[in-house]
Amino acid sequence: MNCRLAICQTNPKLGVVADNLQSHHQWLDRCLEQKADFALFPELSLTGYILRDLTSDVALALDSPQISELVARSKDISLAFGFVEHSLDHRFYNSFVFAEDGVIKHVHRKVHLPDYGIFEEGRYFAAGNNFTTFESKHGRFGFLICEDAWHLSSAWLHFLQGADALLVPVASPSRGIETDGEHLASQKSWHELCAAQAKFLQTWVVRCNRVGYEDGVLFDGESAINAPTGEVVAAAHHSEEDLVVYELTSSALKRARVETPLRRNAHANLVRRQLAIIANDPDLSGLIDDE
Protein backbone atom coordinates (compact mmCIF):
# COMPACT_ATOMS: atom_id res chain seq x y z
CA MET A 1 0.00 0.00 0.00
CA ASN A 2 1.07 3.54 -0.79
CA CYS A 3 -1.72 5.87 0.21
CA ARG A 4 -1.86 9.56 1.15
CA LEU A 5 -4.51 9.33 3.85
CA ALA A 6 -6.27 12.40 5.21
CA ILE A 7 -7.71 12.51 8.72
CA CYS A 8 -10.65 14.94 8.80
CA GLN A 9 -11.01 15.93 12.46
CA THR A 10 -14.39 17.64 12.27
CA ASN A 11 -17.02 19.15 14.57
CA PRO A 12 -20.40 17.83 13.36
CA LYS A 13 -23.63 19.62 14.18
CA LEU A 14 -25.92 17.47 16.29
CA GLY A 15 -28.83 16.21 14.22
CA VAL A 16 -28.31 18.61 11.28
CA VAL A 17 -27.54 16.24 8.42
CA ALA A 18 -27.83 18.88 5.66
CA ASP A 19 -25.17 21.11 7.23
CA ASN A 20 -22.89 18.16 7.98
CA LEU A 21 -23.24 16.93 4.42
CA GLN A 22 -22.16 20.32 3.09
CA SER A 23 -19.25 20.29 5.54
CA HIS A 24 -18.13 16.90 4.21
CA HIS A 25 -17.95 18.35 0.71
CA GLN A 26 -15.82 21.24 1.97
CA TRP A 27 -13.44 18.89 3.75
CA LEU A 28 -13.16 16.69 0.67
CA ASP A 29 -12.25 19.77 -1.37
CA ARG A 30 -9.47 20.49 1.11
CA CYS A 31 -8.27 16.89 0.91
CA LEU A 32 -8.08 17.08 -2.86
CA GLU A 33 -6.07 20.31 -2.59
CA GLN A 34 -3.61 18.36 -0.42
CA LYS A 35 -3.52 15.59 -3.06
CA ALA A 36 -4.88 13.02 -0.61
CA ASP A 37 -5.96 9.60 -1.91
CA PHE A 38 -8.33 8.74 0.93
CA ALA A 39 -10.33 10.87 3.40
CA LEU A 40 -11.39 9.44 6.78
CA PHE A 41 -14.08 11.12 8.90
CA PRO A 42 -15.03 10.51 12.58
CA GLU A 43 -17.75 8.28 13.99
CA LEU A 44 -21.28 9.49 13.12
CA SER A 45 -19.76 12.35 11.16
CA LEU A 46 -23.03 13.05 9.28
CA THR A 47 -25.23 13.26 12.38
CA GLY A 48 -23.35 14.06 15.56
CA TYR A 49 -23.08 11.61 18.45
CA ILE A 50 -25.41 12.21 21.42
CA LEU A 51 -28.57 11.71 19.38
CA ARG A 52 -30.96 9.94 21.74
CA ASP A 53 -34.51 10.54 20.44
CA LEU A 54 -33.11 12.10 17.26
CA THR A 55 -31.75 8.73 16.16
CA SER A 56 -34.69 7.76 13.98
CA ASP A 57 -35.07 11.29 12.60
CA VAL A 58 -31.51 11.42 11.19
CA ALA A 59 -31.29 7.79 10.04
CA LEU A 60 -30.59 7.20 6.35
CA ALA A 61 -30.89 4.19 4.09
CA LEU A 62 -27.83 3.20 2.09
CA ASP A 63 -29.56 4.29 -1.10
CA SER A 64 -30.70 7.67 0.26
CA PRO A 65 -29.87 10.81 -1.77
CA GLN A 66 -27.51 12.09 0.94
CA ILE A 67 -25.44 8.90 0.98
CA SER A 68 -25.46 8.70 -2.82
CA GLU A 69 -24.24 12.30 -3.01
CA LEU A 70 -21.19 11.53 -0.87
CA VAL A 71 -20.51 8.22 -2.60
CA ALA A 72 -20.39 10.09 -5.91
CA ARG A 73 -17.47 12.13 -4.54
CA SER A 74 -15.45 8.94 -4.29
CA LYS A 75 -14.87 9.13 -8.05
CA ASP A 76 -12.23 11.73 -7.15
CA ILE A 77 -11.06 10.51 -3.73
CA SER A 78 -11.73 7.38 -1.69
CA LEU A 79 -13.64 8.26 1.46
CA ALA A 80 -15.14 6.81 4.63
CA PHE A 81 -17.81 8.47 6.76
CA GLY A 82 -20.16 7.66 9.62
CA PHE A 83 -23.95 7.90 9.86
CA VAL A 84 -27.05 6.29 11.37
CA GLU A 85 -28.11 3.54 8.99
CA HIS A 86 -31.82 2.71 8.65
CA SER A 87 -31.88 -0.92 7.58
CA LEU A 88 -34.48 -2.61 5.42
CA ASP A 89 -35.93 -4.31 8.51
CA HIS A 90 -36.22 -0.92 10.28
CA ARG A 91 -33.33 -1.23 12.68
CA PHE A 92 -30.82 1.56 13.30
CA TYR A 93 -27.07 0.98 13.17
CA ASN A 94 -24.04 3.09 14.00
CA SER A 95 -22.49 2.49 10.57
CA PHE A 96 -19.49 3.45 8.51
CA VAL A 97 -19.33 3.49 4.71
CA PHE A 98 -16.22 3.11 2.60
CA ALA A 99 -16.73 4.39 -0.95
CA GLU A 100 -14.37 4.30 -3.91
CA ASP A 101 -14.68 4.93 -7.64
CA GLY A 102 -18.27 6.08 -7.21
CA VAL A 103 -19.60 2.97 -5.42
CA ILE A 104 -19.94 1.66 -1.87
CA LYS A 105 -17.22 -0.93 -1.36
CA HIS A 106 -17.84 -1.79 2.29
CA VAL A 107 -20.19 -1.03 5.21
CA HIS A 108 -19.25 -1.73 8.82
CA ARG A 109 -21.93 -1.75 11.51
CA LYS A 110 -20.57 -1.08 14.99
CA VAL A 111 -20.53 -4.34 16.93
CA HIS A 112 -19.78 -3.26 20.50
CA LEU A 113 -22.29 -0.67 21.70
CA PRO A 114 -21.31 0.98 25.02
CA ASP A 115 -24.06 1.54 27.55
CA TYR A 116 -22.04 2.49 30.63
CA GLY A 117 -21.15 5.87 32.12
CA ILE A 118 -22.34 8.63 29.77
CA PHE A 119 -22.83 6.21 26.87
CA GLU A 120 -26.30 5.07 25.76
CA GLU A 121 -25.75 3.42 22.39
CA GLY A 122 -27.22 0.11 23.49
CA ARG A 123 -30.60 1.83 23.93
CA TYR A 124 -30.82 3.21 20.41
CA PHE A 125 -28.76 1.06 18.05
CA ALA A 126 -28.76 -2.53 16.89
CA ALA A 127 -25.39 -4.26 16.97
CA GLY A 128 -23.42 -5.38 13.94
CA ASN A 129 -22.17 -8.96 13.82
CA ASN A 130 -18.88 -9.14 11.93
CA PHE A 131 -15.41 -7.73 11.39
CA THR A 132 -14.65 -8.10 7.70
CA THR A 133 -11.42 -6.84 6.16
CA PHE A 134 -11.89 -5.43 2.66
CA GLU A 135 -9.78 -4.58 -0.37
CA SER A 136 -9.28 -1.07 -1.69
CA LYS A 137 -7.02 0.12 -4.47
CA HIS A 138 -5.00 1.73 -1.67
CA GLY A 139 -4.60 -1.35 0.51
CA ARG A 140 -6.46 -3.80 2.71
CA PHE A 141 -8.44 -2.14 5.49
CA GLY A 142 -10.50 -3.06 8.54
CA PHE A 143 -12.87 -0.82 10.53
CA LEU A 144 -13.13 -0.57 14.31
CA ILE A 145 -15.69 2.02 15.35
CA CYS A 146 -14.66 3.42 18.73
CA GLU A 147 -15.75 0.80 21.34
CA ASP A 148 -14.97 -1.96 18.82
CA ALA A 149 -11.29 -1.14 19.31
CA TRP A 150 -11.45 -1.79 23.07
CA HIS A 151 -12.25 -5.48 22.53
CA LEU A 152 -9.00 -7.18 21.61
CA SER A 153 -10.64 -9.89 19.52
CA SER A 154 -11.98 -7.28 17.08
CA ALA A 155 -8.58 -6.06 15.92
CA TRP A 156 -7.15 -9.59 16.03
CA LEU A 157 -9.78 -10.76 13.54
CA HIS A 158 -8.62 -8.06 11.12
CA PHE A 159 -5.03 -9.12 11.81
CA LEU A 160 -5.85 -12.69 10.78
CA GLN A 161 -7.41 -11.36 7.56
CA GLY A 162 -4.26 -9.46 6.62
CA ALA A 163 -5.30 -5.86 7.24
CA ASP A 164 -2.72 -3.29 6.13
CA ALA A 165 -4.39 -0.61 8.24
CA LEU A 166 -6.97 -0.46 11.01
CA LEU A 167 -9.29 2.50 10.52
CA VAL A 168 -10.63 3.66 13.88
CA PRO A 169 -13.28 6.41 13.63
CA VAL A 170 -14.30 7.56 17.10
CA ALA A 171 -16.38 10.05 19.03
CA SER A 172 -14.36 10.05 22.23
CA PRO A 173 -15.33 12.43 25.04
CA SER A 174 -12.75 14.00 27.34
CA ARG A 175 -12.73 12.10 30.61
CA GLY A 176 -10.48 11.89 33.68
CA ILE A 177 -7.64 14.11 34.84
CA GLU A 178 -4.11 12.74 34.84
CA THR A 179 -2.17 14.42 37.63
CA ASP A 180 1.21 13.16 36.43
CA GLY A 181 1.05 14.23 32.79
CA GLU A 182 -0.36 16.64 30.22
CA HIS A 183 -3.08 14.33 28.89
CA LEU A 184 -6.53 13.44 30.16
CA ALA A 185 -7.05 9.82 31.16
CA SER A 186 -9.15 9.18 28.05
CA GLN A 187 -6.44 10.56 25.76
CA LYS A 188 -3.72 8.56 27.48
CA SER A 189 -5.76 5.36 27.17
CA TRP A 190 -6.29 5.87 23.44
CA HIS A 191 -2.59 6.53 22.90
CA GLU A 192 -1.64 3.34 24.71
CA LEU A 193 -4.30 1.22 22.99
CA CYS A 194 -3.46 2.32 19.44
CA ALA A 195 0.28 1.98 20.00
CA ALA A 196 -0.17 -1.56 21.30
CA GLN A 197 -2.45 -2.60 18.44
CA ALA A 198 -0.09 -1.17 15.83
CA LYS A 199 2.95 -2.86 17.35
CA PHE A 200 1.51 -6.29 18.12
CA LEU A 201 -0.75 -6.55 15.06
CA GLN A 202 1.94 -5.04 12.81
CA THR A 203 -0.39 -2.70 10.99
CA TRP A 204 -1.01 0.99 10.53
CA VAL A 205 -3.59 2.28 13.01
CA VAL A 206 -5.44 5.43 11.96
CA ARG A 207 -7.68 6.98 14.64
CA CYS A 208 -9.97 9.84 13.61
CA ASN A 209 -11.69 11.54 16.54
CA ARG A 210 -14.06 14.51 16.46
CA VAL A 211 -13.97 17.80 18.38
CA GLY A 212 -16.55 20.19 19.82
CA TYR A 213 -19.31 20.14 22.46
CA GLU A 214 -22.59 18.23 22.52
CA ASP A 215 -25.00 18.38 25.44
CA GLY A 216 -22.20 19.59 27.71
CA VAL A 217 -19.79 16.85 26.61
CA LEU A 218 -16.39 17.83 25.15
CA PHE A 219 -14.82 15.76 22.39
CA ASP A 220 -11.07 16.22 22.48
CA GLY A 221 -9.70 15.39 19.04
CA GLU A 222 -6.05 14.29 19.13
CA SER A 223 -6.57 12.06 16.09
CA ALA A 224 -3.37 10.21 15.26
CA ILE A 225 -1.63 7.69 13.03
CA ASN A 226 0.52 4.92 14.51
CA ALA A 227 3.10 3.17 12.36
CA PRO A 228 3.27 -0.66 12.33
CA THR A 229 6.04 -0.40 14.94
CA GLY A 230 3.76 1.47 17.34
CA GLU A 231 5.07 5.03 17.35
CA VAL A 232 2.89 8.03 16.50
CA VAL A 233 3.98 9.47 13.15
CA ALA A 234 1.25 12.11 12.69
CA ALA A 235 -1.21 13.78 15.06
CA ALA A 236 -3.97 16.39 14.97
CA HIS A 237 -4.73 19.28 17.30
CA HIS A 238 -6.15 18.36 20.70
CA SER A 239 -9.26 20.56 20.63
CA GLU A 240 -9.77 22.16 17.21
CA GLU A 241 -10.82 21.00 13.77
CA ASP A 242 -7.79 19.83 11.86
CA LEU A 243 -6.71 18.14 8.64
CA VAL A 244 -3.75 15.77 8.78
CA VAL A 245 -2.36 14.11 5.65
CA TYR A 246 0.21 11.33 5.89
CA GLU A 247 1.45 8.66 3.49
CA LEU A 248 0.93 5.06 4.55
CA THR A 249 3.48 2.79 2.87
CA SER A 250 3.90 -0.94 2.38
CA SER A 251 7.63 -0.69 3.16
CA ALA A 252 6.85 0.09 6.81
CA LEU A 253 4.56 -2.95 6.96
CA LYS A 254 7.22 -5.16 5.42
CA ARG A 255 9.92 -4.10 7.89
CA ALA A 256 7.71 -4.79 10.90
CA ARG A 257 6.46 -8.15 9.64
CA VAL A 258 9.82 -9.49 8.47
CA GLU A 259 11.54 -8.58 11.74
CA THR A 260 8.86 -10.28 13.85
CA PRO A 261 6.64 -12.75 11.90
CA LEU A 262 3.69 -12.75 14.31
CA ARG A 263 1.00 -13.59 11.76
CA ARG A 264 2.84 -16.75 10.72
CA ASN A 265 2.58 -18.05 14.27
CA ALA A 266 -0.92 -16.79 15.11
CA HIS A 267 -2.42 -20.33 15.50
CA ALA A 268 -6.00 -19.36 14.73
CA ASN A 269 -7.14 -23.01 14.83
CA LEU A 270 -5.77 -23.38 18.34
CA VAL A 271 -7.88 -20.41 19.42
CA ARG A 272 -10.89 -21.91 17.65
CA ARG A 273 -10.50 -25.20 19.55
CA GLN A 274 -10.08 -23.44 22.88
CA LEU A 275 -13.15 -21.30 22.28
CA ALA A 276 -15.16 -24.41 21.47
CA ILE A 277 -14.11 -25.90 24.79
CA ILE A 278 -14.81 -22.72 26.74
CA ALA A 279 -18.23 -22.30 25.09
CA ASN A 280 -19.01 -26.03 25.37
CA ASP A 281 -19.91 -25.95 21.67
CA PRO A 282 -21.21 -29.36 20.52
CA ASP A 283 -20.91 -28.42 16.83
CA LEU A 284 -17.12 -28.35 17.17
CA SER A 285 -16.73 -31.46 19.30
CA GLY A 286 -15.42 -33.45 16.33
CA LEU A 287 -12.78 -30.86 15.64
CA ILE A 288 -11.63 -31.04 19.27
CA ASP A 289 -11.48 -34.84 19.23
CA ASP A 290 -9.57 -34.89 15.94
CA GLU A 291 -6.91 -32.63 17.32
Side-chain angles (χ1 to χ4, degrees):
M1 66 181 308
N2 290 281
C3 170
R4 280 180 58 80
L5 188 147
I7 293 175
C8 301
Q9 182 171 284
T10 65
N11 180 8
K13 293 183 180 180
L14 182 62
V16 189
V17 173
D19 286 1
N20 293 329
L21 177 61
Q22 183 60 35
S23 174
H24 278 61
H25 285 297
Q26 294 167 353
W27 281 88
L28 290 172
D29 291 340
R30 292 179 60 189
C31 291
L32 288 169
E33 290 174 359
Q34 296 293 319
K35 301 187 184 305
D37 301 311
F38 176 15
L40 177 66
F41 288 88
E43 178 180 12
L44 293 174
S45 59
L46 269 180
T47 62
Y49 181 73
I50 306 177
L51 292 163
R52 298 193 176 106
D53 293 341
L54 292 175
T55 300
S56 60
D57 295 335
V58 301
L60 299 169
L62 283 173
D63 61 354
S64 67
Q66 297 92 330
I67 300 299
S68 298
E69 184 177 324
L70 273 183
V71 170
R73 289 298 305 267
S74 71
K75 295 176 182 177
D76 301 317
I77 181 173
S78 302
L79 60 102
F81 58 91
F83 72 111
V84 178
E85 179 190 354
H86 188 173
S87 69
L88 293 175
D89 59 355
H90 304 298
R91 287 186 287 179
F92 303 112
Y93 293 93
N94 182 338
S95 294
F96 225 80
V97 159
F98 176 85
E100 190 170 82
D101 297 329
V103 297
I104 295 175
K105 290 290 186 72
H106 183 73
V107 178
H108 176 64
R109 293 170 167 175
K110 189 172 183 178
V111 174
H112 298 288
L113 303 174
D115 56 1
Y116 55 85
I118 67 171
F119 303 107
E120 302 177 314
E121 290 185 48
R123 294 183 60 187
Y124 300 101
F125 294 113
N129 59 11
N130 67 78
F131 292 99
T132 303
T133 305
F134 63 96
E135 292 284 353
S136 158
K137 61 187 179 185
H138 303 301
R140 189 168 177 82
F141 299 118
F143 278 120
L144 302 171
I145 302 178
C146 207
E147 183 78 8
D148 287 343
W150 288 93
H151 297 260
L152 298 180
S153 59
S154 311
W156 194 68
L157 289 171
H158 286 312
F159 167 74
L160 292 179
Q161 297 173 74
D164 296 325
L166 298 178
L167 307 176
V168 189
V170 307
S172 178
S174 301
R175 291 180 296 158
I177 298 175
E178 288 292 313
T179 58
D180 59 348
E182 61 182 10
H183 295 290
L184 297 174
S186 55
Q187 296 167 339
K188 182 179 179 182
S189 295
W190 274 113
H191 295 167
E192 293 172 346
L193 174 64
C194 292
Q197 288 181 335
K199 185 177 183 66
F200 292 106
L201 301 181
Q202 300 173 316
T203 183
W204 293 97
V205 175
V206 183
R207 178 171 60 92
C208 182
N209 193 15
R210 59 158 295 178
V211 292
Y213 283 91
E214 277 185 8
D215 198 22
V217 175
L218 172 65
F219 297 88
D220 53 27
E222 288 206 357
S223 304
I225 298 175
N226 293 78
T229 46
E231 69 271 16
V232 174
V233 293
H237 195 277
H238 74 278
S239 61
E240 298 176 359
E241 291 189 319
D242 202 1
L243 177 67
V244 176
V245 180
Y246 190 84
E247 186 166 359
L248 311 186
T249 65
S250 57
S251 58
L253 291 169
K254 180 180 178 180
R255 285 196 301 272
R257 294 171 182 180
V258 168
E259 290 176 4
T260 312
L262 297 179
R263 185 173 287 109
R264 182 186 69 191
N265 300 317
H267 297 307
N269 281 333
L270 182 150
V271 175
R272 183 186 181 202
R273 293 196 303 272
Q274 290 298 121
L275 286 175
I277 294 170
I278 293 169
N280 192 26
D281 187 347
D283 293 334
L284 294 179
S285 58
L287 172 67
I288 298 169
D289 293 339
D290 291 342
E291 296 292 338

